[in-house]
Amino acid sequence: MFLESIAHAVPAAAFTQAECWEIIQRSGELDRLNSRSASLLEAILNGNSGIEKRHLATNEVERIFSLGAEALNQNFEQAAPALSIEALTQALTLANLVPESLDALFICTCTGYLCPGISSYVAQHLGLRPNAFLQDIVGLGCGAAIPTLRSAAGCLAANPEARVACIAVEVCSAAFYLDNDPGVLISACLFGDGASASIWSNESGPKSYRLHHFDTAHHPEHRELLRFTNRGGKLRNQLHRSVPQVAAPIVHKLFQNSKLPSGTQVASHTGGRDVLDTLEATLPIGPLTSARETLRQFGNISSPSVLFALEVMLNQKNAPESIWLTSFGAGFAAHSAELTRHEQL
């Protein structure tokens, strides 16, 4: 399938890491933590995390850690459709398309719950045709964007004349949680909110990119290292310190399987600074520049991260001829695909 456009949206409110530390201090939340946990928060938020700022979809940032489960999911219910609509509207404009031209819409998320899913709200607001196929994909965590694109590729294979939109959207602030577990604290310091929308079809242009060679690896024996748990109705991110070391060889194996052409560049899920350091040390590639730029501007935005990194890469003056995409997260699972200029094929 061929890429027609890609765009992103983030909440208007942005906070530097230093501002986040000041907000936590003012909020009184440190009183609920032991001194070691408070020191860890201070060290990460005032240290070199690779993050300059994060966008958060909340009007109650100083109360975010004290909000109940219902209030947090209400934030998700409001922000996830809004961000999705904004991102897809931009993608449609870039492709010179109207919403009625879409035959299917795939949306992935893991940071909240709506039934019917986000796709219902996006379809209603933008005016998709009543017979457009809507598919919401949940439970795949940070790695969800590439499996969602793979589902879209299957739809296009079965319906060659179709045009499909994909959205990855996360309101990570709706899953913010604080306790004395280091993984929980690190998560609170890394994640931000955002959405990425892309439009795909089987129509190729003179400089269009084709997405192909999907691959995946799932290792449920590592499931407890990285997953959401439920505490009092709230989503709580379970993150073990070994995740970078677990992720790197799995991603490396996918990279080896891909047999990529020389000069291929990598658009990776951001993870965090330590994840990117470990990937760069493991993969036979250069710096993960687009992933680091995404991390710097937005933090870890979970499933949209790899698509934000891809957009950074495509917007370069001399965009690569071949791009390898990789995303990974809960499960533990990792995924990949190759994006190649059509004129090379």
Side-chain angles (χ1 to χ4, degrees), residues 162-232:
R163 178 170 279 111
V164 176
C166 291
I167 300 173
V169 57
E170 303 293 359
V171 185
C172 297
S173 60
F176 276 179
Y177 193 98
L178 274 190
D179 63 22
N180 287 308
D181 180 271
V184 169
L185 298 173
I186 292 169
S187 297
C189 296
L190 296 183
F191 284 92
D193 303 338
S196 176
S198 51
I199 298 176
W200 305 83
S201 72
N202 287 323
E203 298 177 8
S204 63
K207 293 185 178 180
S208 55
Y209 281 91
R210 179 191 176 206
L211 190 66
H212 56 128
H213 290 165
F214 289 96
D215 201 0
T216 191
H218 46 89
H219 292 264
E221 68 272 20
H222 299 310
R223 183 186 298 128
E224 295 305 313
L225 301 180
L226 180 59
R227 62 179 295 242
F228 269 135
T229 59
N230 191 296
R231 293 287 178 90

Side-chain angles (χ1 to χ4, degrees), residues 20-85:
C20 288
W21 171 241
E22 293 172 0
I23 289 167
I24 289 176
Q25 287 180 295
R26 293 197 303 267
S27 70
E29 292 299 317
L30 293 178
D31 295 338
R32 297 198 290 116
L33 302 176
N34 61 37
S35 59
R36 183 176 181 179
S37 296
S39 296
L40 178 60
L41 280 176
E42 182 178 15
I44 297 172
L45 292 174
N46 288 328
N48 181 22
S49 64
I51 300 171
E52 184 176 295
K53 61 178 170 40
R54 292 180 285 161
H55 294 256
L56 304 177
T58 177
N59 296 321
E60 302 177 282
V61 65
E62 296 200 13
R63 297 185 58 236
I64 195 68
F65 294 110
S66 61
L67 293 177
E70 182 177 356
L72 288 171
N73 202 65
Q74 284 175 348
N75 284 351
F76 175 86
E77 292 171 0
Q78 294 170 6
L83 290 169
S84 299
I85 290 163

